[in-house]
Amino acid sequence: MENRKLSKGKVALIVIASIILVVGAFLGVVGILNIEFRKDNLEYIETSIRAVEYEEQLTPTYEDGYWTFTTDDEFKILQLTDIHIGGGWLTKTKDYKAINAVANMVTAEKPDLVIITGDLVFPVGFAGCTFNNKEEIILIASLMEKLGVYWTVTLGNHDSEWYSFYDRQEVADIYSDSRWTKCLFEDDGDLYGCGNSVIKIKNSQGLVTQALFTMDSNSYMSDKLTDAIFAVFSSSYDTFHDDQIEWYRQEVTKIHNANLAIDEHCPMFKSLLFFHIPLLETRKAYNQYLEAGCQDTEEVQWLYGVIEESDPYVYSSPIDTDMFETIVELGSTQGMFFGHDHINNIALTYKGINMEYGMSVDYLAYIGIDKEGKQRGCKVITVQPDGSYDSVNNNYYQDKYAIYPREVVSME
């Protein structure tokens, strides 16, 4: 019989088909592994995590378009940030550690409200072989619901990467799902960003003593691939937009006017602001502190904590907005709380406004950070009946946070 050689075209088709089959098989296996490992952690949450035991849990009501807590006593907020759930087969163990870290700190502190200031998840393919940010969100939301605490979130840059399965609005819709009965997240679709909202704390006279602003500091300055990949090097992080700043102004004015309708002599109510990416003023304040030889100045006072990120130290947006000036002008917001820079936990006062990093949970996003421990923890914010507040950073590796399994790490 005559030997026949395959044409170059047919060989190329066979090679391409083979590659597609191999890649498809790999992705299929990875998909199955991701589902199984997420299922393992979900089952762990369902079978091993217990609801926080309160003597009497404070319950919010929904009044005039705001979630509202009513109390004449102290109000306790637990800030968590940068949890970075991976949700893939490569991150099962790190996700398990993060789940226990959250459960330990929430259970021990018994807060009235948990506010997670962004980057709850990390849908970065090389870390966990998954881009499915919805399944990652379901994992952390299921944990919070099982703990039985009231909670809300602000979105970070990693919560909706350009390559993740679900975009920012879809992520907001997931948090707004009615299945999360303890979640107070709300999304005003008329504003830039997702999740700009206010939670009120009122006293028995009906006066707002403290308002908790949760705002979206957005993600990147553009959707360009280069910006998304090289954000750390190009400083292309976004910040608040003009309509958000105007909304903040209107909300402060509205709440103050409502208080005046009850008591015409009442002073401006106090408020706190929670978001993810620090304002440019945080970088300015820290640089001024450095230039003064790490000594307080007329404008900057050190409260506590450290900066351990490398130069430029504070990875803020380069955009100089009117947000900080508006905060100073209105005289309501005493402090702002954010995350983003996982090994920074400093608190500074700048022009009379407290700027405070939370302590990160992250076991995944920074290489080797799962073996380090001095940066991991939470911030406890205690709001007094008059609206003033105190805050403290609590490291995770102390006896009271050992309710669920906890790893041994370096504290150097």
Side-chain angles (χ1 to χ4, degrees), residues 244-407:
Q244 294 175 282
I245 299 170
E246 180 58 27
W247 169 84
Y248 167 81
R249 177 187 293 278
Q250 292 175 2
E251 288 295 321
V252 169
T253 303
K254 185 192 306 182
I255 295 171
H256 182 51
N257 287 340
N259 273 358
L260 290 175
I262 298 173
D263 179 359
E264 62 181 359
H265 300 295
C266 73
M268 172 63 75
F269 71 97
K270 295 179 173 63
S271 61
L272 303 175
L273 176 58
F274 297 83
F275 51 98
H276 182 67
I277 300 172
L279 291 176
L280 179 60
E281 282 77 7
T282 308
R283 183 187 294 179
K284 291 179 179 179
Y286 185 65
N287 285 340
Q288 187 179 132
Y289 181 71
L290 286 180
E291 290 167 3
C294 294
Q295 299 293 320
D296 289 351
T297 70
E298 183 177 347
E299 290 188 329
V300 181
Q301 295 83 45
W302 175 86
L303 298 177
Y304 57 80
V306 295
I307 293 279
E308 297 212 355
E309 296 282 359
S310 58
D311 190 6
Y313 310 114
V314 174
Y315 286 81
S316 67
S317 170
I319 303 172
D320 196 354
T321 72
D322 293 333
M323 186 66 190
F324 186 79
E325 287 75 12
T326 302
I327 289 170
V328 173
E329 173 197 339
L330 295 177
S332 170
T333 295
Q334 314 161 79
M336 55 183 71
F337 303 86
F338 40 84
H340 189 55
D341 300 328
H342 303 190
I343 53 178
N344 289 348
N345 56 42
I346 201 169
L348 295 171
T349 297
Y350 181 54
K351 297 183 179 180
I353 308 298
N354 292 346
M355 299 173 157
E356 306 195 27
Y357 276 101
M359 296 188 76
S360 67
V361 174
D362 180 28
Y363 285 87
L364 178 61
Y366 282 24
I367 295 174
I369 201 168
D370 58 312
K371 302 297 191 300
E372 303 296 328
K374 63 181 179 180
Q375 80 294 333
R376 187 168 294 116
C378 61
K379 185 185 292 287
V380 177
I381 304 163
T382 305
V383 177
Q384 304 299 329
D386 66 355
S388 61
Y389 83 93
D390 302 301
S391 69
V392 61
N393 282 342
N394 283 347
N395 183 269
Y396 176 44
Y397 299 98
Q398 50 184 301
D399 290 344
K400 68 176 180 176
Y401 296 144
I403 301 162
Y404 298 97
R406 193 180 61 182
E407 73 289 342

